[in-house]
Amino acid sequence: MAQEQNRPDSDLPALPRLGGRRSSYRQRVADALRAALIAGELRPGEVYSAPSLAARFGVSATPVREAMLDLAKEGLVDTVPNKGFRVTAVSDQQLDEYTHIRALIEIPTVAALARSADRVSLEALRPAAREIVSAAAAGDLIAYVEADTRFHLGLLALAGNAHLVEVVADLRGRSRLYGLTALMKAGRLLASAEEHLELLDALLERDEKAVHAIMTRHLGHVRSLWAEGTQRD
């Protein structure tokens, strides 16, 4: 693949510009970069330089470089001496394994929350669910992934198992949703986003069977996104 330095600026991902204190840049940039990787905005095999990404974030190159080094430790990118960072590729087999593990963990855990989670804690997740819908309507894939991550990890946290949340967070970080762009162009991203509100309502209604069905369908859509992205490439 062509390196990022050779691509016209209009072809680069529309990364969010970040403000605030410098001390918060590293984590905020890392979160946004991770979301861009998951959404497929940063493509596997391509090399991205810290200065060019920093310009798009509206920050200096240092926090971007530091954030990319953090992502390198997670195996999401590889360092390329004197050039930048190359996004690592994920095979279909790896994606299948990730979604299988997620299904084994998330479906029964979330379904059980229909019996155990209190209404106040569940309602506290509604703003994130609405952010997912708003991001889908706006076609903002990075904001979509960030809100989606907050919603699902926040939901799992209600089970009271911090290690479980860490495992799922790692699996989500290693995933790639290349099909999000195709889903958005086909006008189907909004319907997928609204599943989060449907899930939340089923939990509040204490309908464990419905929650199980929604989670099964939702994770099935995730794997479909990977398949669509693979076909598009």
Side-chain angles (χ1 to χ4, degrees), residues 159-221:
N161 187 329
H163 185 63
L164 180 150
V165 176
E166 290 177 4
V167 170
V168 173
D170 179 69
L171 291 169
R172 290 177 63 91
R174 294 177 183 277
S175 305
R176 304 288 193 275
L177 300 181
Y178 303 135
L180 275 179
T181 301
L183 199 67
M184 180 179 67
K185 290 180 178 179
R188 290 160 37 212
L189 185 60
L190 187 57
S192 178
E194 289 172 343
E195 288 182 340
H196 298 84
L197 290 169
E198 180 186 0
L199 175 62
L200 195 56
D201 289 340
L203 284 164
L204 288 164
E205 291 169 4
R206 306 301 183 189
D207 191 338
E208 187 171 353
K209 183 178 293 186
V211 171
H212 191 284
I214 295 167
M215 279 299 298
T216 300
R217 177 180 5 120
H218 190 64
L219 287 180
H221 289 171

Side-chain angles (χ1 to χ4, degrees), residues 58-85:
V59 299
S60 68
T62 298
V64 173
R65 188 175 292 108
E66 292 173 343
M68 292 298 272
L69 288 172
D70 288 340
L71 297 183
K73 293 177 183 177
E74 298 175 23
L76 301 180
V77 298
D78 295 319
T79 57
V80 181
N82 303 317
K83 292 184 179 180
F85 301 87

Side-chain angles (χ1 to χ4, degrees), residues 42-63:
L42 301 181
R43 304 296 294 177
E46 294 192 18
V47 177
Y48 297 90
S49 67
S52 64
L53 289 175
R56 302 187 71 80
F57 275 110
V59 299
S60 68
T62 298

Side-chain angles (χ1 to χ4, degrees), residues 67-114:
M68 292 298 272
L69 288 172
D70 288 340
L71 297 183
K73 293 177 183 177
E74 298 175 23
L76 301 180
V77 298
D78 295 319
T79 57
V80 181
N82 303 317
K83 292 184 179 180
F85 301 87
R86 179 181 291 111
V87 179
T88 58
V90 182
S91 69
D92 284 346
Q93 180 178 343
Q94 287 174 305
L95 293 174
D96 282 332
E97 291 172 353
Y98 295 158
T99 193
H100 179 62
I101 297 171
R102 284 187 59 190
L104 291 174
I105 295 173
E106 293 186 63
I107 293 174
T109 300
V110 175
L113 291 176

